Amino acid sequence: MKRLRARLDAWRWQELSLRGRLIVLVAGAVAVAVAAVSLGSWLLVKAKLDLNFDQQLRSYAQLAASAASPADALERLYDADRPDRDGDRRFRPERGDMFVQFLDADGSARIDGRDRTVPLSPAAVKVATGAAPDFSEDRELDDERYRMLTVSRPGGGAVQVGKDIHGLQETLGDLGFWHILVCLAGVAVAAGVGLVVARTALRPVETLTAGAERVARTQDLDQGISVQGSGEIARLAEAFNAMLVALAVSRDAQRRLVEDAGHELRTPLTSLRNNIELLVHAGRQTDPARVLPAEDRDRLLADLETQAGELTTLVGELVELAKTDRSAEEPHRLDLAEVVEAAVDRVRPRAANLRFQAELRHANVLGRPRALQRAVLNLLDNAAKWSPPGGLVTVTMTGLGDRVRIAVQDEGPGIPEADLPHVFQRFYRAEEARARPGSGLGLAIVDQIATLHGGQVAAGRGERGGALVSITLPVADS
């Protein structure tokens, strides 16, 4: 049952809105504070009243100790002309609300001023016999509660004075009642304050929520949220606006990629469709004079094979470009020289008519080995495509302080000055490159991989006149 109740309580708390939780927390905190202050005030007042009562009772006991008999003591205590100690009249005795009892040295009691004896406690007997100091206690007498003080008398024995504490209890009860009212009023005020605080504090959150719902409804990523102030909610709004900007940039880049891909795919797909339609049409001819010659058919089939290969390469590079920044490969510390050496070993069989020279140095970087090897392979494939037969492709690694550069240089015609600013753009192909196989995505992939690793790419003309393309990456901390 306790576990079920605890689960229900937790569920109810979880079901509360943030505003409801703030109201409960503020009201609860203020209520606890008000209750603690009220209880502390009541306890302090009670302690003060009890101290005053005990002081008055002790003065009465000292006055009664000097009397000849209990009756004489009561008359002295009831004397209205006797000034109160410290001028305090709250506990001036009224007739009938006190009793006085004398105790002999052997602990026996004499009749008090109202012709009766009060049962003695063991502690009071010890005071009368001199075995204990003065002693006070609360007793029930005739359905009334008395506070009794037993003090020793100068001639031996003791005197016991008791006073009805009904008035004191009534005073404390009234004080407790008013303190409870104050607590309830404090809780009500706290609930109101909590509601105001919750509305004021959550107004920016409501604005942020409305903005997020508006963006989700309209799909308009250009709508930001106004930021006011510099608190946590303002920082959250700024982060939300930054996220919207990043999403807008990503969506625009995705749209441009799809548009560019559609544009680039249109040409090979159209050529494929035309060649296939021509072959199908020629295969349906029954007139020998209109049958497609064997050499023309072989040429069409060769073109189809070439176009299918180019289309496969283009689709593969599109997929590689789309998934590079979302690769599941985790970055880790690696030796970049090993990555470059592996890429050079892979490209040598593809370009057996070229010479490859690698000047490598050890450099630790934080990166994804497969992605980095892909970038170096693209640079090497690009150099191999433009190099003349028997040409030399040079790969060098150079340290630049906290960065390292990989440079690939070929002996081809080089990149024209007008094309240098555009060679890393998607699907960009120079005039000379359009006659060669390729998709125009190889260097774009290199640029994307370098950016993913915090690096940069650059293109220019090498010392031997060919193209010089490089990647610069940050070195990992030791």
Side-chain angles (χ1 to χ4, degrees), residues 274-329:
N274 292 337
N275 289 338
I276 292 174
E277 288 178 353
L278 180 59
L279 288 173
V280 171
H281 180 72
R284 292 175 179 174
Q285 299 298 324
T286 57
D287 185 359
R290 304 183 64 181
V291 174
L292 189 67
E295 58 271 15
D296 293 339
R297 182 176 181 179
D298 292 341
R299 181 176 56 80
L300 286 176
L301 290 175
D303 289 343
L304 284 175
E305 183 179 5
T306 301
Q307 292 164 359
E310 292 180 356
L311 187 61
T312 301
T313 302
L314 176 60
V315 172
E317 291 187 343
L318 281 173
V319 173
E320 185 70 25
L321 190 65
K323 73 179 183 180
T324 296
D325 57 347
R326 296 188 300 273
S327 174
E329 187 181 14

Side-chain angles (χ1 to χ4, degrees), residues 321-358:
L321 190 65
K323 73 179 183 180
T324 296
D325 57 347
R326 296 188 300 273
S327 174
E329 187 181 14
E330 292 295 331
H332 60 272
R333 189 184 181 89
L334 52 88
D335 188 354
L336 189 59
E338 296 179 357
V339 175
V340 176
E341 185 177 8
V344 173
D345 291 340
R346 286 184 59 183
V347 81
R348 277 195 173 105
R350 304 180 189 175
N353 60 338
L354 297 178
R355 295 173 295 132
F356 290 89
Q357 179 180 345

Side-chain angles (χ1 to χ4, degrees), residues 155-231:
V159 61
Q160 197 170 48
V161 178
K163 188 177 186 300
D164 186 1
I165 60 173
H166 176 71
L168 178 63
Q169 291 179 331
E170 280 190 347
T171 302
L172 292 175
D174 292 341
L175 286 173
F177 173 74
W178 287 108
H179 278 77
I180 291 174
L181 287 183
V182 170
C183 286
L184 294 178
V187 172
V189 172
V193 172
L195 179 60
V196 174
V197 170
R199 286 181 176 177
T200 304
L202 294 181
R203 189 172 294 115
V205 178
E206 293 176 352
T207 303
L208 183 62
T209 303
E213 291 174 347
R214 182 176 65 254
V215 171
R217 183 177 61 256
T218 62
Q219 297 296 311
D220 185 3
L221 299 180
D222 296 329
Q223 296 184 15
I225 297 177
S226 59
V227 180
Q228 298 179 356
S230 58

